[in-house]
Amino acid sequence: MTISSGHFQVLILDQFTTRLLSSCCKLSDLMSERITIVEDLFKSREPIPEMKAIYFMTPTAKCVDAFIADFKNKPKYKAAYVYFTDYCPDSLFSKMKTSSCSKYIRVCKEINISFLPQEAQVFTFDNPGAFRSVYSPDSKDRIKTLESLADQIVTLCATLDEFPGVRYKKDSPVQHAKDLAELVDQKLAKYYEMDDTTKKKEKTPAQLLILDRAFDPMSPILHELTYQAMAYDLLPIKNDTYRYKAKDGSAKEALLNDSDELWVRLRHMHIAEVTEKMPKLVKEISASKKEPDSKVTIGTLAQIMKKMPSFRKQVAQVLHVSLAEDCMTRYQKNVDRLCRVEQDLAVGSDVEGLKVKDPMRTLLPVLIHDHSTYDKIRAVLLYIFSLNGTTEENLNKLIQHVKIEGESEYILNWKDLGVPIISSKTTRRERSQTYDLSRWTPIIKDVMEDAVDNKLDWPHVSGAPTAWNGSRAVSARQKHKASAQDDYRSGSRLIIFILGGVCYSEVRSAYEVTQAIKSCEVIIGESPKRVLLHHYDVPEADVGKTPPGTKPGFICEMYYFTQTRFKFHVDHGPHTILFRLNLCIK
């Protein structure tokens, strides 16, 4: 986006583009491009008529009106270079063309990046209202929301330079995924017909799978005991920021993101492996960061100091020892007693492999024990899901036992996702597991493996990609040496979008399947960033009393999304994920 070398520039952002840039670059990266001032499009700003301004914004009427206002009377800047995240409607383009701002516009481009890269293989559309708009039975803007999500999916595919075959799960109790898949397929075809290359793009060897959240209600509810999922479930981590105390008692905070190499190496490990392997990984990472003996200049001194192995080793180890200890403290407090019950209900058999004949007897210890209402709700949901629904009489007794008679929507609203609540279990493949309390495997992993092996019986909207061939990739069920997550992959991509949110065990599955095969990269994403389904304990006094957005968690979302007495609000603070991987801006 650089205007010209030798000139300092102003960068004007809206809320979404602020989060977008924060997710893939640092302030120092902007300064290296001679951007010295970053401003909010909607805040009052002092004119700087001698400087040129870059406007990076979403193509909405609100943003365009704010842009036009900057040049209405006395122009704030010498010239404007306008970059939209997505397709700008003709009406907004005409509005700019006929206003006084037009003579100051030097560039006006659509760069097609209307999504946030959450991790190396994870994206989100940061649309917290989408969940309610799509699944609420009282929704008045479902079609509009699906259209918007389809546009965002197209920008993702355009950024990845993919024209995938679009597939959806057939026989779903709700049709939202099918509707979205058809919209995406239409918009992809239209986009590549309008491509600047003037040559119609053929389908690439990639698949895009679109699912409703009802395909697997278990995974978002279970307590997951891998490091990342456990931390976000049990600890009050907000905006990926973990707060802890150093050895000297001082308050510290750290970002849990891809810039922390130790976090990347540890996050998908079972908590039992984390403390065991942490010291060895710290040594490996520190050794790899050692600077070669060479002449040190003033310009490189600061960077070298930040990369000093002793400095990085000390900071990383203190941070992750503290984080792991906090996870284990919460786990030993009450979660360990929940996990065995949850796994037995989800898997349908106990540790010895014996079938659970009476799920109610398995559930009973949780109900009579002094667990929080929040954990009891999770256990009751797992019981209901394990039976594929229960009787109305039994459901009423469970609601009374958990004491949520006035807030039964926590459970009942799942029916609007297509999950049976009031009365053919899916047959799952058997897997060997290392840990007794982590026997459940997310259903999405089965879907990924079947897609790679060409065994997925899902319809394509308009034909399969001609070059997709599962034989190009080693079977996802075969084990071989895992490659690094940022290795170049010349094969196919499998893009998965779950309408209604992704949980961390499903994120982990995308990495595991990618690492288990040679030439297929799995990328997974969701619509609302805040429902990258994590939870932390909610005090019983708070259950059902706080507006959505003030406490995270899929269960809370399920209670509120059909309620009308609360207005949705979400923290729109900058989301500072700092990484440079395969979903960043090219």
Side-chain angles (χ1 to χ4, degrees):
M1 291 186 192
T2 305
I3 300 172
S4 61
S5 59
H7 293 85
F8 292 107
Q9 302 139 25
V10 182
L11 178 62
I12 314 295
L13 304 171
D14 61 22
Q15 290 177 333
F16 177 79
T17 53
T18 297
R19 295 193 294 279
L20 174 55
L21 280 187
S22 296
S23 72
C24 54
C25 65
K26 305 175 184 177
L27 187 58
S28 59
D29 297 326
L30 298 178
M31 293 182 68
S32 68
E33 298 294 328
R34 306 189 70 80
I35 292 172
T36 54
I37 303 173
V38 180
E39 299 269 26
D40 188 323
L41 176 63
F42 301 112
K43 289 185 178 178
S44 177
R45 288 166 272 119
E46 288 294 323
I48 314 177
E50 69 278 9
M51 294 184 74
K52 299 174 182 178
I54 301 171
Y55 285 80
F56 184 31
M57 57 190 183
T58 50
T60 63
K62 183 180 178 182
C63 288
V64 169
D65 288 344
F67 165 66
I68 292 173
D70 282 354
F71 298 89
K72 191 171 185 180
N73 297 316
K74 186 178 179 180
K76 290 185 184 293
Y77 308 105
K78 184 178 180 179
Y81 295 72
V82 181
Y83 296 86
F84 289 113
T85 58
D86 198 354
Y87 172 76
C88 181
D90 292 342
S91 58
L92 296 180
F93 185 79
S94 298
K95 195 173 186 179
M96 289 192 297
K97 186 178 178 181
T98 57
S99 70
S100 57
C101 73
S102 60
K103 62 182 179 181
Y104 295 97
I105 298 176
R106 299 293 179 268
V107 170
C108 185
K109 287 188 176 180
E110 300 155 343
I111 63 173
N112 290 305
I113 182 165
S114 187
F115 62 92
L116 294 183
Q118 191 86 1
E119 291 180 11
Q121 293 172 225
V122 186
F123 65 91
T124 176
F125 294 149
D126 195 19
N127 186 345
F131 189 91
R132 179 176 181 173
S133 296
V134 171
Y135 287 110
S136 172
D138 301 320
S139 174
K140 294 180 174 59
D141 59 351
R142 180 178 294 115
I143 299 301
K144 182 180 178 182
T145 301
L146 291 176
E147 290 266 6
S148 176
L149 293 174
D151 288 333
Q152 290 181 287
I153 293 174
V154 169
T155 72
L156 171 73
C157 295
T159 301
L160 297 173
D161 194 27
E162 297 285 9
F163 187 4
V166 183
R167 307 175 76 176
Y168 59 91
K169 188 177 185 301
K170 63 180 181 180
D171 302 325
S172 178
V174 291
Q175 295 295 306
H176 308 320
K178 179 177 182 291
D179 295 341
L180 180 59
E182 291 172 347
L183 286 170
V184 170
D185 193 70
Q186 294 167 13
K187 289 176 181 289
L188 275 171
K190 183 177 180 181
Y191 172 80
Y192 283 114
E193 282 178 0
M194 297 170 60
D195 196 6
D196 293 338
T197 61
T198 68
K199 183 179 179 181
K200 186 174 181 181
K201 187 179 180 73
E202 299 297 328
K203 284 189 180 288
T204 55
Q207 292 190 64
L208 169 61
L209 309 183
I210 297 179
L211 304 89
D212 281 300
R213 183 63 261 178
F215 82 98
D216 177 10
M218 294 276 196
S219 294
I221 302 302
L222 285 165
H223 283 90
E224 165 88 359
L225 298 184
T226 49
Y227 190 38
Q228 180 185 36
M230 197 173 183
Y232 279 83
D233 191 343
L234 302 181
L235 305 177
I237 295 172
K238 185 176 181 181
N239 290 334
D240 299 318
T241 301
Y242 168 61
R243 292 176 173 81
Y244 65 104
K245 288 189 177 181
K247 291 181 179 179
D248 60 3
S250 59
K252 300 285 185 181
E253 63 178 41
L255 281 170
L256 302 176
N257 56 41
D258 284 22
S259 64
D260 180 349
E261 190 172 344
L262 185 57
W263 169 250
V264 172
R265 299 277 288 274
L266 291 171
R267 64 187 173 192
H268 298 143
M269 290 184 184
H270 193 279
I271 192 65
E273 300 174 348
V274 169
T275 51
E276 176 189 343
K277 296 185 179 182
M278 192 185 303
K280 180 182 176 182
L281 289 175
V282 169
K283 288 180 182 178
E284 287 180 7
I285 293 169
S286 297
S288 69
K289 300 297 181 183
K290 285 183 178 178
E291 296 293 325
D293 294 331
S294 60
K295 187 177 179 181
V296 179
T297 65
I298 295 296
T300 59
L301 183 60
Q303 288 185 337
I304 291 175
M305 288 180 67
K306 290 178 182 177
K307 293 181 180 179
M308 284 177 62
S310 59
F311 176 79
R312 295 175 66 93
K313 180 177 178 180
Q314 182 181 8
V315 172
Q317 191 149 7
V318 170
L319 160 63
H320 289 289
V321 166
S322 176
L323 181 58
E325 286 178 349
D326 280 355
C327 287
M328 287 306 299
T329 299
R330 296 298 294 270
Y331 170 76
Q332 292 167 353
K333 183 179 178 181
N334 63 355
V335 177
D336 58 339
R337 290 173 293 185
L338 290 166
C339 284
R340 190 173 300 276
V341 171
E342 291 180 351
Q343 291 294 317
D344 288 354
L345 289 172
V347 178
S349 59
D350 62 17
V351 175
E352 306 299 327
L354 299 176
K355 184 179 179 181
V356 174
K357 296 181 179 179
D358 187 354
M360 178 57 75
R361 178 173 291 182
T362 303
L363 173 66
L364 197 58
V366 176
L367 298 181
I368 63 178
H369 196 274
D370 189 25
H371 290 291
S372 69
T373 300
Y374 189 61
D375 282 330
K376 289 181 179 181
I377 292 172
R378 291 171 78 161
V380 166
L381 285 169
L382 289 169
Y383 165 80
I384 294 171
F385 299 157
S386 71
L387 296 173
N388 208 29
T390 187
T391 64
E392 188 167 359
E393 180 183 3
N394 195 28
L395 177 62
N396 290 334
K397 289 179 179 178
L398 289 169
I399 289 172
Q400 291 171 11
H401 202 102
V402 182
K403 299 179 181 178
I404 55 168
E405 292 93 335
E407 299 158 333
S408 57
E409 290 88 350
Y410 278 108
I411 294 173
L412 298 178
N413 281 352
W414 283 85
K415 69 181 184 300
D416 294 316
L417 271 72
V419 179
I421 298 299
I422 304 294
S423 344
S424 61
K425 297 197 71 173
T426 304
T427 302
R428 299 289 308 278
R429 65 173 62 93
E430 293 185 5
R431 297 176 185 266
S432 59
Q433 298 293 350
T434 306
Y435 300 99
D436 291 346
L437 301 186
S438 298
R439 286 170 284 138
W440 172 259
T441 299
I443 292 175
I444 196 64
K445 192 169 186 180
D446 295 351
V447 173
M448 294 171 183
E449 292 172 343
D450 285 343
V452 170
D453 292 342
N454 273 342
K455 295 179 179 178
L456 192 64
D457 185 24
W458 290 14
H460 286 84
V461 176
S462 61
T466 55
W468 178 269
N469 184 354
S471 63
R472 294 184 61 199
V474 175
S475 171
R477 298 176 183 87
Q478 297 177 20
K479 293 186 177 180
H480 65 86
K481 185 178 178 181
S483 58
Q485 68 174 22
D486 55 349
D487 279 352
Y488 175 75
R489 299 180 186 278
S490 59
S492 307
R493 275 198 180 102
L494 178 63
I495 305 169
I496 295 177
F497 179 76
I498 300 179
L499 190 57
V502 176
C503 61
Y504 283 104
S505 58
E506 292 167 335
V507 167
R508 172 174 51 82
S509 297
Y511 286 94
E512 289 174 347
V513 172
T514 299
Q515 291 173 353
I517 56 182
K518 289 182 177 178
S519 57
C520 183
E521 181 183 35
V522 181
I523 296 173
I524 191 167
E526 57 167 7
S527 45
K529 179 170 77 70
R530 68 184 289 264
V531 190
L532 234 172
L533 309 172
H534 61 273
H535 324 273
Y536 55 81
D537 286 346
V538 178
E540 291 192 35
D542 290 343
V543 173
K545 294 185 179 179
T546 321
T550 60
K551 55 180 180 183
F554 194 58
I555 296 177
C556 298
E557 190 81 31
M558 287 309 304
Y559 173 74
Y560 284 115
F561 89 96
T562 61
Q563 305 303 299
T564 57
R565 62 180 182 274
F566 293 119
K567 182 185 291 186
F568 261 68
H569 79 91
V570 181
D571 179 10
H572 287 296
H575 189 60
T576 51
I577 300 174
L578 310 174
F579 81 112
R580 300 186 300 271
L581 292 166
N582 64 328
L583 287 184
C584 64
I585 300 178
K586 303 295 183 183

